[in-house]
Amino acid sequence: MKLKIFTLFLISAVTTLSLSCRKAELLQPETAKIIQLNITGASDVALEYLYKDSIIASPPAGGINVKTLLSVKDGNSTLKVRKKGTTEILLTKAITLAPFDQNISIFYDGTKIYNGSVSLAIKGYALSGELEFLLDGNLLFSATGAVNKPYSILIDKGTTREISIRKKGETAILLTKTIESTIAQQNIGYFFDGTKLVDNVKLDLPVNPANMMLTAKFETTFPNQFKNVDVDLIFYTRLKTASNTTVGSKVLPEIRFTLPKNGAFNSIELPPLPGPNYIYSFDIAEKGTNNEPYTSGSPLVLAGYTLKPNEGRITSAFADNGINFEAGKSKLFVITDARTIVTSPARNVYVSGGRLTDLSQYFQ
């Protein structure tokens, strides 16, 4: 009987010890998991990244590309972001047990952290004056002449921002463009003549590679006599060495290229010239007619002079203002009317050719 009691006691002791060992195992902390954290974006100032109150990265200002391994034991771990050398926390992000690859995008302009960005290409030209470019009402930059600037616009997903353009020293807005967070690449193309701004200016290549694409706008230097009508350019051909065109050199069938009176751009494909030694010239007429788009009076004296639109006459004073043809290319011109002085008989007259300002290089 005593033997049985001892055996029972021994079995009970072993069972108790086994249960005790299992309870001890359950009290041990869970094994930590390793994850890979990828931080990308951009910042105008240097930032510090903290994990468990320790700095894990402190790259310089500019593009952000941080990749690091972190030990995570539970779902309460966080990444903290602050300006380098400060204590204020700008952003807190949760770090989870899974997945292994975890990504955070940070875009900081020195004032606010955004979670996204889009690319904005600003390309244009101002004939005169200085323009200011504003982002949400704050000055982004100012410029004169040609502008070709790529920008990274910081923006939160699902929101919009606003780019506006005004003349320096003035409050009137010349152009406003909404920046969408869903469009990765956005563009602003503009032309400013010192008073008016035209947007959406771009140079498309001709559909037929044998042709040349011409994009142009018309401006008058005689606003008091201009009839404020749309005008036609009527195209002629002439040799590069010739001082003027001759009757009969008009392109047939006749090509009329309408330019709106409001100064907007229009485009046309011009066919190849008869040979490499030729250029295009043109007359300027009131749209759909062969009439001068002006009224008589000073400084223009139109009556009694034999040169009229659609006769293809251009004096030597404008011989260098023909249009050189380049197959497969796209050209951008500002076309301005002009006058020359005739000494016999003495008078100031409008000559229906015009001056060209080639802006192609600024919009390629």
Side-chain angles (χ1 to χ4, degrees):
M1 183 67 179
K2 290 181 181 180
L3 179 60
K4 292 181 179 179
I5 293 173
F6 177 76
T7 302
L8 179 62
F9 174 77
L10 179 62
I11 294 172
S12 176
V14 171
T15 302
T16 302
L17 180 61
S18 176
L19 290 173
S20 175
C21 289
R22 289 180 184 176
K23 288 180 180 178
E25 289 175 359
L26 292 174
L27 291 175
Q28 291 179 358
E30 291 186 23
T31 303
K33 291 187 176 181
I34 302 299
I35 66 99
Q36 180 170 272
L37 180 64
N38 306 294
I39 309 172
T40 57
S43 175
D44 291 346
V45 299
L47 297 176
E48 291 179 336
Y49 304 89
L50 296 89
Y51 184 68
K52 296 181 179 179
D53 296 325
S54 296
I55 298 174
I56 60 171
S58 182
I64 300 171
N65 188 10
V66 174
K67 181 178 290 188
T68 184
L69 296 175
L70 299 179
S71 175
V72 184
K73 292 185 178 181
D74 54 49
N76 296 321
S77 301
T78 57
L79 175 80
K80 296 178 181 179
V81 183
R82 69 188 182 192
K83 286 184 184 180
K84 187 175 182 178
T86 68
T87 58
E88 180 187 0
I89 301 301
L90 302 172
L91 180 70
T92 300
K93 283 284 188 179
I95 306 298
T96 57
L97 292 167
F100 173 73
D101 275 307
Q102 298 185 37
N103 303 288
I104 296 176
S105 294
I106 297 175
F107 299 90
Y108 185 55
D109 62 4
T111 303
K112 177 184 174 181
I113 286 185
Y114 297 84
N115 59 18
S117 72
V118 298
S119 296
L120 176 67
I122 303 176
K123 184 178 288 189
Y125 189 83
L127 276 179
S128 65
E130 184 174 359
L131 296 176
E132 292 183 331
F133 299 78
L134 301 96
L135 177 61
D136 295 335
N138 298 310
L139 183 64
L140 192 61
F141 70 95
S142 60
T144 58
V147 170
N148 187 0
K149 286 182 175 288
Y151 267 93
S152 179
I153 302 297
L154 309 188
I155 188 169
D156 284 326
K157 296 174 182 177
T159 66
T160 62
R161 302 193 74 180
E162 188 175 86
I163 294 284
S164 55
I165 303 175
R166 70 187 180 194
K167 193 172 181 179
K168 187 173 182 179
E170 298 181 3
T171 58
I173 300 299
L174 301 170
L175 173 70
T176 298
K177 179 178 174 62
T178 299
I179 306 300
E180 305 283 349
S181 64
T182 54
I183 305 174
Q185 177 66 57
Q186 300 174 55
N187 302 280
I188 295 178
Y190 70 89
F191 170 78
F192 182 61
D193 63 8
T195 304
K196 295 177 295 183
L197 187 143
V198 181
D199 67 330
N200 295 323
V201 179
K202 60 180 180 178
L203 297 187
D204 294 320
L205 294 177
V207 175
N208 184 345
N211 295 340
M212 183 182 80
M213 179 69 78
L214 172 63
T215 300
K217 71 185 295 291
F218 175 76
E219 293 185 350
T220 182
T221 55
F222 311 109
N224 294 331
Q225 290 176 253
F226 183 60
K227 294 179 182 178
N228 196 30
V229 293
D230 296 339
V231 299
D232 282 344
L233 304 189
I234 306 168
F235 286 97
Y236 285 74
T237 66
R238 65 177 168 89
L239 289 169
K240 293 179 180 179
T241 56
S243 62
N244 59 296
T245 59
T246 59
V247 175
S249 63
K250 183 168 67 171
V251 177
L252 296 175
E254 182 181 83
I255 297 178
R256 282 180 176 258
F257 177 36
T258 300
L259 296 180
K261 60 185 178 183
N262 63 4
F265 283 92
N266 197 11
S267 299
I268 189 174
E269 286 195 23
L270 294 177
L273 286 162
N277 295 323
Y278 284 82
I279 59 176
Y280 275 110
S281 62
F282 54 86
D283 283 351
I284 301 174
E286 184 176 345
K287 179 183 176 181
T289 74
N290 293 331
N291 301 326
E292 298 276 7
Y294 306 94
T295 58
S296 296
S298 179
L300 300 179
V301 181
L302 304 177
Y305 191 56
T306 58
L307 290 187
K308 294 184 178 180
N310 212 2
E311 289 190 1
R313 302 283 186 177
I314 298 181
T315 67
S316 59
F318 304 101
D320 61 343
N321 282 318
I323 300 173
N324 290 294
F325 181 87
E326 294 184 73
K329 299 290 186 178
S330 186
K331 297 287 186 178
L332 182 72
F333 291 112
V334 174
I335 296 175
T336 307
D337 48 21
R339 115 190 131 169
T340 189
I341 297 176
V342 176
T343 58
S344 180
R347 65 183 67 190
N348 291 335
V349 297
Y350 162 77
V351 177
S352 57
R355 299 184 185 277
L356 302 177
T357 302
D358 189 350
L359 302 177
S360 307
Q361 62 178 313
Y362 305 117
F363 293 88
Q364 301 291 351

